[in-house]
Structure formats: C-alpha cells, structure tokens
Amino acid sequence: MTTEKIDTQAINTIRTLSIDAVEKAHSGHPGAPMALAPVAYQLWQQELRYDPSHPIWPDRDRFILSNGHASMLLYSLLHLAGVKRVDREYDVTDAPAVSLEDIQKFRQLDSATPGHPEYRWTTGVETTTGPLGQGVANSVGMALASRWLAGHFNKPGFELFTHDVYAICGDGDMMEGVASEAASLAGHLQLPNLCWIYDSNHISIDGSTDLAFTEDVGRRFEAYGWRVLQVTDANDLDALGKAFRTFKEARGKPTLIVVNSFIGYGAPKKQGSASAHGEPLGAEELKGAKRNYGWPEDAQFLVPDGVRERFQERMGARGKQLREAWEKSFADYRKQHPELAHELERLLKRELPDGWDKELPVFPADAKGMATRESGGKVLNALAKNYPWLVGGSADLNPSTKTYLSASTSMKPGEHAGRNIHFGVREHAMGSIVNGLNLSKVRAYGATFLIFSDYERPAMRLSSLMEIPSIHIFTHDSIGLGEDGPTHQPVEQLASLRAIPGNIVLRPGDANEVTEAWRYIAKQQHHPVVLVLSRQPVPTLDRTKFAPAAGLSQGAYILKEAEGGKPDVILIGTGTEVSLVVEAAEKLQAEGVKARVVSMPSWELFEQQPAEYQERVLPASIKARVAVEKGAAFGWERWVGHTGSVVGMRSFGASAPIKALQQKFGFTVENVVKEAKATVAKSKTTQP
C-alpha cells in the first residue's frame, strides 16, 4: 500500500469511527469530524510535537478542539495515535486513553468519551470545551504560559519551553464574543506560538451562517494584528502542510488559518447541510458516506491494518525523539541550574515553592483599618516575592483592585516574561485566559469588580468543572461602594458564585482574614477560589481579644463568644459586615442580651467541616440567629433556620453615599440589634 493510500485510509478511519460512534449513541455531531479529519490528521502526523506514550510531557504542543461538539474527531485521534492514559496522580499507565470500546460507548455514562471533551476525564484533552469560544480563549492563556515559562526557565543552551498551541474552531466560536476578546489581546501581545485553525463551513444549527454571520473573518483578524492564511479545500494536505509551515517559520504574530470545508463531507444528501451538524446521519446516509469513502458500508468501528502503525511511525516516532531529547536536556539543566530545576519540578506538580509564606504579613489592630482590597494588595505582593510562578492582572482596574505586582514587569507586545498581565476591559476572556495559564501549571489570577463576575462566570464555571486552581479576585463587593449606584452594586453575585459546585468563595472580614485567605488559596491544587474584597475600610480586629484569623480555613468560626459561653443569639457576618455584628454584639451585651459573633467568610469551607465542629459553631439548640451580609438574602436561611433573620438585600441598591445606603437598607447597629432581639423573642415562642 502506498503512502498516499494509507494516509487516505487513516483519514477515512477518523471519519468512520466518528460517524459510527454518533450513530450508535443516537446522539452527537458527525458533520464536523467528517469535514475536519484531513486537517487534524495533517496537523497531528506532520507537525504536532506530541508523544502519545508520554502525553503530559511539559514541552508538548497543545491541541485544543474548541468546537467541542466535534468531540469524536479528538477521540478518534487519541485512539489511533495510541495515547496512553494518565491517572489522577499524573502517572502514565499502559492503558489507552481512549480504547475502541470507549469509542463504542460514546456519550454513555462513565465512558472516556463524553459528549464534549473534558479535562481530567480523558487523557489528551487539554481543556474542557463545548461552550463555544472558551477553547480558543484558553489557548491564548496556554500560549502566554509557554512564552512565560520560556522567559523564566530557558537558559543559554537549554530551550526547555518552545511549544506551540493549536486550536481548531468553527463559525460558532467566531461568533462568540469571548473569542473576539481573546483574539484581540493575543494580537496585541503578538503571540508568535498561537495558531487557530478556523473551519469555515458556513453552517450553523439554524442553517446557513448567512442568516446572521456575513462578516469577513480574515480581515477582522488582520485588524487584530494576526497573520491570516487561506486553505480553500480541507482535503488538500499539501496546502494544509504549507500553511502550518508558514506559521512555524514566519512567527512574529499569531496565525489564523481559514480552512474551507464541507460539513458532513462524503454524505450523499447531507453534505454541506445543517442536518449533518447535530444529529446522527441515519443508516442509509451513513452507508452512502462509507461508499463514497471506499469503505465497507456494513463495517462498524473498523480500523484497517496499518492505520495505527502509521500514527506510530510518524507522530509517535517524532514525538518520542523530541521528548527523549528534552528529558536528556533537562537532566543536564538540573546539574547546571539546580534551583530553577527544583522550581520547575514543583511548578509541574502544582506544589508550592520553599518558604512561600515567610513574608505574609500580620496586621496590627487598627480601629480605622483599611479596605480589604488594600490589605489584599499588600498580601498578594508579599506572597509573590516567594512564589515566582504566580502571575496575573486585572481587567483595566489595577488602581482599584490593587493586584499589580510592584516588583515585576508587565507583559508587552513580543515580551512575555513579566508577571503582570494587562487584560484590558475583557472580563470574559480574562477568566478563560487565566484558566489556560493554570492548565499549563502557571498559577494565575484575574481581577475585576464583583459586579462584572457576570461577564466572567462561564470561565469560572469551567475552572470548577475542570478542577483547576484558578484565582478569581473581585473588589467593590457590595452596595457599600455607594454613589456608582445599582449598575455597579453587586447583589445577587455572591449567591450565584456560591451555587457553582466545587467553587470556593472567600469574603474575609479584616486584613488578617485576608492574609489567611491567601494562605488557603496558595495551597489549592484542584479548586478554583473566588476572593471577594471591599472598597471601603474595615477595622483590623484586635486578635488578643478576638479569635485568631486562622479560623478562616474552617469557613466559619466563633470570633467572639458570649459572656458565660451560653449565647441568647448568634450573629453571623461576612466581609465588611463582620465589624458591624461585632458592634451590635457589644450593644446587645450592654442591654443584657448575650450574643455570640461568628465570622463566616466561606460557606463552602464550613460545609466541609465535621458535623461536630459545625454544631459547636452553630448549635442546633440556639434558634435565635441573625446573618448580616450586603448581598442577596437568598441562601442564608440554611444557616439561620426558620426562626432566624437575615439582614440582607431583597432589591437592587441605589445611588447614594454609603451612610445613606446603610440606613436605607438596614445595615446599622440599631437594626441588627432590633433583629437580634426579635429573633430571641421568636425563638422562645416557637420552642416545643
């Protein structure tokens, strides 16, 4: 069999595995894999720096299927390339990442082939995709990470990080705003190692993209500062190869390769139609497609002899050689640069550097205090001194979020070794780029106002789904920001973020709780954390009179016990409201009502504590409870019970000075005292 025939057969194997899997599952998207099989094959076989036997080799090229509905394209590639499975401890096993049986179980419960590619579920999936635009936006973070790692670790004679990032995307990706945001920033930064392959087939679920999408994408990307290449036929391997070589040789800016294809290529009646997009072909159309490929029409899940071997002799052999050369180079690097080698090994394992917390500040008691965004900036900069792979930035808000690393430089066009990233007013892309950096093991954060978490939320949800330790910092945490009014005053955002499974929300109550928040954040390996900080100052509590701020790690703790240890009422506060409930407790005490004060910076961490600890902090026998938070009251009933009370928001805010807002919405000592007394009275009347 000639080279041309085996390559054609390999491409058609990708196609037929894909359509067979979708047909058996009675669910899926066959059209894109049928169209893109030659594009992906040419990239994997001829260009990709990837060793299937060691799929987490640090300097591997990254491949992202941003149009994740075409997941069978990726699963077919992983199977045919013989990619090995990596376990939860990041050890490479002898088992395949995707077996033929896995392909036959496409979209079935607990299979390695879910409907959309999922990171940490299927080896070889570099990021979870499906929500369109997220994959390409992640790719910008991965490309930045590659460049940052090179700037930090590469030394003369040791090019440890040289890898490129490829993302296949479709018309849907190009319509999503997050892709535009990310592309704009990538063009500005002149990322030379980023290549998007745009499958331009002019078909969406509704029909032709002419219904809603008629722009010239190539010219748009040229305006962003990208190099734009055109391949007029997705089946032209020579033209594809030339485009990939141009990307590798020209450099200087990111590259967009526009590839024209026919969705459902080979299907007799459905080629080029919307019906090939999101549903099985059907038995007769499937047989017709196989006939057009020269395939046995009744064969199912057929992998002809020589196809797997073809992947091994090209991609496999090339990847093994590159990986072994890298490992040999790193062994020499370890001898010449032992400290950097040690850093890199820790980074790759998501471990902390030695002495990472030695300069974290302890703040003295101060009745005037400071905004937690101010203390947050101080703690972040202290942490960054001994945490060299902590990088990040804000969405054009450094003066407000206080998240600029003062001892480091910024990333600039063509210069990517700095630790400060200026994301511009691009919150959605910022969240996705932060995820891409964290997927590459660089510890990254992004910062903006809490109200704009609405723009960032899709990326935040995915960071939790992927179990990666992205850091999302938000300031201006409540109606307390005052005159900016309800457009900028977050109300429902805290409740929304607490609803994301696996997401840890921290709202510290003073400067020392901020230090403890960062102590907790730094240790995370698989959980994203949301850090919510204030614009207005709060007192720094005297910890000789109040419990240590280390209680933050337990989610909630008894900040101040009632006199005699038997409270009449429990007051629960978070963030800026902690000092408010402290004042209210003192007034209650003066009036003969014994109040316990509980600081509750994190519902999620408190939920993780043993039942005995939860009972100690919030005893079931004490029904009189008042929770105070300048956000939606929604959800607090879990902690205060039916007889408790919530001083929270049940409407949007208003534009006014903070003191007027606090008076209007009941965030005053007098109102908290009133609510506490009422709950005490109510609890007595409802006792059995």
Side-chain angles (χ1 to χ4, degrees):
M1 186 175 289
T2 67
T3 299
E4 182 179 349
K5 288 183 178 179
I6 189 61
D7 290 332
T8 300
Q9 198 162 35
I11 291 167
N12 287 333
T13 303
I14 296 169
R15 287 170 165 150
T16 55
L17 285 177
S18 298
I19 60 179
D20 283 343
V22 171
E23 198 70 25
K24 184 176 181 182
H26 306 294
S27 176
H29 299 73
M34 297 165 75
L36 290 171
V39 179
Y41 180 78
Q42 180 69 16
L43 174 62
W44 279 49
Q45 281 288 63
Q46 301 296 338
E47 310 297 340
L48 209 64
R49 293 167 45 89
Y50 190 89
D51 182 1
S53 67
H54 284 76
I56 55 173
W57 161 44
D59 199 33
R60 68 190 181 279
D61 284 348
R62 300 323 196 252
F63 173 80
I64 300 165
L65 185 68
S66 190
N67 47 342
H69 55 269
S71 57
M72 268 311 308
L73 174 69
L74 179 55
Y75 298 146
S76 297
L77 288 164
L78 294 173
H79 172 68
L80 296 174
V83 175
K84 297 297 184 183
R85 182 179 300 170
V86 176
D87 64 23
R88 301 286 286 191
E89 285 70 45
Y90 296 98
D91 292 324
V92 180
T93 71
D94 289 331
V98 176
S99 66
L100 193 59
E101 183 181 10
D102 290 324
I103 288 177
Q104 293 168 346
K105 292 181 178 179
F106 177 55
R107 289 190 166 220
Q108 305 308 300
L109 186 63
D110 296 331
S111 76
T113 51
H116 292 84
E118 295 184 28
Y119 177 74
R120 286 179 61 82
W121 187 259
T122 308
T123 301
V125 173
E126 301 284 6
T127 183
T128 297
T129 56
L132 291 174
Q134 288 293 330
V136 285
N138 291 161
S139 76
V140 175
M142 293 180 183
L144 267 180
S146 175
R147 297 283 292 172
W148 186 88
L149 290 165
H152 189 72
F153 290 107
N154 287 6
K155 298 297 175 184
F158 296 99
E159 298 295 308
L160 293 185
F161 290 99
T162 61
H163 61 269
D164 295 322
V165 181
Y166 298 89
I168 289 182
C169 54
D171 292 302
D173 289 286
M174 290 301 178
M175 293 186 215
E176 288 287 358
V178 65
S180 299
E181 291 181 23
S184 174
L185 184 59
H188 166 73
L189 290 173
Q190 298 175 1
L191 290 175
N193 58 338
L194 180 63
C195 179
W196 290 5
I197 304 153
Y198 166 36
D199 174 29
S200 178
N201 59 41
H202 302 291
I203 293 294
S204 64
I205 291 175
D206 281 353
S208 170
T209 54
D210 288 344
L211 292 168
F213 188 61
T214 52
E215 68 191 45
D216 188 325
V217 172
R219 293 177 73 177
R220 167 157 66 98
F221 272 70
E222 286 176 348
Y224 287 151
W226 288 55
R227 177 183 301 103
V228 178
L229 308 174
Q230 185 79 39
V231 174
T232 58
D233 181 1
N235 294 292
D236 188 340
L237 299 186
D238 289 337
L240 289 166
K242 182 179 179 181
F244 292 137
R245 287 192 298 275
T246 299
F247 158 63
K248 286 191 169 185
E249 294 167 2
R251 299 300 187 178
K253 61 177 69 175
T255 296
L256 177 73
I257 303 175
V258 182
V259 179
N260 296 120
S261 75
F262 289 103
I263 195 168
Y265 179 81
K269 298 178 181 178
K270 293 188 175 183
Q271 176 177 306
S273 70
S275 60
H277 175 76
E279 60 187 37
L281 293 177
E284 291 306 311
E285 194 73 1
L286 184 147
K287 288 182 178 181
K290 288 182 177 179
R291 284 196 299 271
N292 286 337
Y293 300 150
W295 211 256
E297 63 182 54
D298 292 322
Q300 293 185 351
F301 301 103
L302 172 64
V303 180
D305 293 341
V307 169
R308 294 188 183 94
E309 292 78 6
R310 185 64 162 174
F311 273 91
Q312 288 303 311
E313 69 187 33
R314 287 195 175 179
M315 179 190 194
R318 181 180 67 252
K320 181 181 179 181
Q321 182 181 20
L322 290 167
R323 190 256 309 165
E324 289 179 344
W326 187 91
E327 290 176 345
K328 182 179 183 301
S329 178
F330 184 64
D332 294 335
Y333 182 88
R334 187 185 285 111
K335 296 174 184 176
Q336 294 191 33
H337 304 282
E339 292 184 3
L340 282 174
H342 180 65
E343 271 191 23
L344 178 55
E345 288 169 335
R346 291 207 160 207
L347 178 152
L348 294 173
K349 295 178 181 178
R350 289 203 171 114
E351 295 177 351
L352 286 164
D354 298 326
W356 64 275
D357 60 348
K358 64 184 179 182
E359 294 189 51
L360 292 184
V362 175
F363 294 90
D366 182 354
K368 182 180 179 181
M370 67 182 81
T372 53
R373 64 168 176 169
E374 294 281 355
S375 54
K378 295 177 186 295
V379 178
L380 174 60
N381 273 274
L383 176 64
K385 290 179 183 178
N386 301 296
Y387 197 168
W389 52 92
L390 179 66
V391 307
S394 76
D396 194 43
L397 287 170
N398 277 325
S400 292
T401 60
K402 313 298 182 184
T403 47
Y404 189 82
L405 301 181
S406 57
S408 185
T409 58
S410 296
M411 294 186 185
K412 300 175 183 178
E415 300 176 17
H416 309 124
R419 295 170 65 185
N420 291 294
I421 307 171
H422 295 276
F423 289 103
V425 188
R426 303 182 181 97
E427 294 91 354
H428 195 171
M430 176 177 71
S432 303
I433 292 167
V434 164
N435 285 348
L437 286 157
N438 279 284
L439 285 161
S440 299
K441 307 298 177 67
V442 176
R443 195 73 192 277
Y445 63 85
T448 185
F449 293 168
L450 180 57
I451 193 69
F452 302 134
S453 63
D454 290 344
Y455 291 165
E456 197 176 338
R457 183 184 168 87
M460 296 171 69
R461 181 179 188 272
L462 285 173
S463 67
S464 191
L465 179 61
M466 290 190 282
E467 300 180 10
I468 56 174
S470 296
I471 305 168
H472 310 287
I473 303 172
F474 299 107
T475 69
H476 294 49
D477 65 342
S478 73
I479 63 166
L481 65 93
E483 291 86 348
D484 281 344
T487 62
H488 280 54
Q489 293 169 2
V491 171
E492 74 277 18
Q493 281 69 27
L494 282 169
S496 173
L497 296 174
R498 287 167 177 156
I500 300 175
N503 195 37
I504 305 297
V505 180
L506 299 175
R507 189 170 181 243
D510 78 344
N512 286 307
E513 280 196 4
V514 170
T515 294
E516 294 305 317
W518 273 108
R519 193 183 302 276
Y520 174 83
I521 291 167
K523 296 175 183 177
Q524 297 314 297
Q525 294 182 317
H526 300 300
H527 285 287
V529 180
V530 173
L531 180 61
V532 183
L533 305 172
S534 73
R535 179 195 188 193
Q536 67 271 32
V538 292
T540 304
L541 299 174
D542 184 348
R543 295 292 170 166
T544 65
K545 298 178 181 179
F546 296 94
L552 173 136
S553 65
Q554 295 169 299
Y557 65 102
I558 301 171
L559 180 66
K560 186 179 186 300
E561 184 56 283
E563 187 175 314
K566 294 183 179 180
D568 299 316
V569 63
I570 299 175
L571 304 182
I572 309 170
T574 73
T576 53
E577 290 71 73
V578 171
S579 57
L580 173 58
V581 298
V582 167
E583 287 187 57
E586 291 172 350
K587 187 170 180 59
L588 285 165
Q589 182 66 42
E591 297 180 12
V593 181
K594 294 181 288 186
R596 170 185 292 179
V597 176
V598 171
S599 176
M600 195 173 196
S602 176
W603 292 10
E604 299 78 23
L605 295 186
F606 189 58
E607 290 169 346
Q608 296 172 13
Q609 304 311 308
E612 299 79 25
Y613 178 78
Q614 294 185 30
E615 172 65 18
R616 188 160 68 249
V617 176
L618 299 176
S621 60
I622 302 176
K623 305 295 184 182
R625 304 177 186 178
V626 180
V628 185
E629 184 170 68
K630 290 176 185 165
F634 178 81
W636 275 106
E637 62 274 3
R638 175 178 181 184
W639 307 114
V640 301
H642 297 298
T643 56
S645 176
V646 181
V647 179
M649 295 297 296
R650 292 172 173 81
S651 68
F652 292 109
S655 179
I658 182 172
K659 289 184 179 180
L661 292 172
Q662 290 177 161
Q663 190 69 38
K664 175 179 174 63
F665 293 109
F667 296 102
T668 64
V669 171
E670 292 74 21
N671 188 53
V672 175
V673 168
K674 176 185 174 183
E675 291 290 333
K677 290 179 177 178
T679 59
V680 170
K682 184 178 180 181
S683 68
K684 290 179 179 178
T685 61
T686 57
Q687 287 179 356

